[in-house]
Amino acid sequence: MAQPILGHGSLQPASAAGLASLELDSSLDQYVQIRIFKIIVIGDSNVGKTCLTFRFCGGTFPDKTEATIGVDFREKTVEIEGEKIKVIQTVRFRCGTQQVKNAFAKAWLSITTAMCMRWSLFMTSPR
Ligand SMILES: Nc1nc2c(ncn2[C@@H]2O[C@H](COP(=O)(O)OP(=O)(O)OP(=O)(O)O)[C@@H](O)[C@H]2O)c(=O)[nH]1
């Protein structure tokens, strides 16, 4: 037999849909409480951006990498002083015309918490 639950200021009969929405609400609360930091990693091609984020999120360096086409995302949840914080890293590669790069940069930087630049001392950029 269905048990009454509170809803819209009065006692309403519980339904499967009602209980499901209550469960959904409480599970959403957990996500709302996690702070999200978005970090963009930029740099010339082949300087190790993918390896850097792979190491941070996965704990190991990849044996082999391929050139990133467009953007790449990785995420990791860290705990600092008892608070869970989700870190999302975006890897961007250097490509295209200046206009394309500017448009990308504007879009990504508007939603970014921090920026990490990576470069290689052993490489010279082709101009
Ligand atoms: N010596 C050395 N090599 C590295 C380091 N990090 C990455 N590499 C090597 O550099 C090469 C390129 O690494 P990636 O992480 O794919 O570079 P990327 O900047 O993401 O490259 P794109 O996707 O083309 O932009 C790989 O062969 C890696 O093994 C490092 O700290 N030291």
Side-chain angles (χ1 to χ4, degrees):
M1 173 136 176
Q3 298 295 313
I5 58 168
L6 278 175
H8 304 293
S10 62
L11 285 175
Q12 303 284 328
S15 65
L19 287 176
S21 70
L22 281 178
E23 284 167 16
L24 187 64
D25 285 348
S26 59
S27 66
L28 281 176
D29 279 350
Q30 294 172 356
Y31 289 104
V32 171
Q33 286 167 8
I34 294 179
R35 282 202 278 174
I36 297 176
F37 288 82
K38 295 171 189 156
I39 301 171
I40 188 168
V41 181
I42 60 172
D44 280 353
S45 291
N46 218 33
V47 295
K49 301 180 297 295
T50 301
C51 288
L52 183 72
T53 60
F54 202 94
R55 172 71 177 84
F56 176 75
C57 295
T60 56
F61 277 101
D63 293 334
K64 191 170 171 258
T65 59
E66 291 179 357
T68 306
I69 307 298
V71 292
D72 197 6
F73 296 90
R74 274 185 197 87
E75 67 173 58
K76 176 180 184 172
T77 302
V78 295
E79 198 166 325
I80 299 175
E81 294 179 355
E83 185 183 359
K84 281 189 180 162
I85 295 171
K86 187 179 277 190
V87 181
I88 300 177
Q89 294 187 321
T90 306
V91 180
R92 236 192 93 218
F93 80 127
R94 176 179 176 271
C95 79
T97 64
Q98 196 58 46
Q99 281 168 324
V100 170
K101 283 193 271 184
N102 287 347
F104 258 121
K106 201 173 171 186
W108 287 113
L109 289 179
S110 65
I111 58 159
T112 295
T113 311
M115 184 165 64
C116 172
M117 296 178 78
R118 172 124 175 146
W119 64 91
S120 169
L121 297 175
F122 302 101
M123 288 183 62
T124 52
S125 301
R127 293 274 174 224

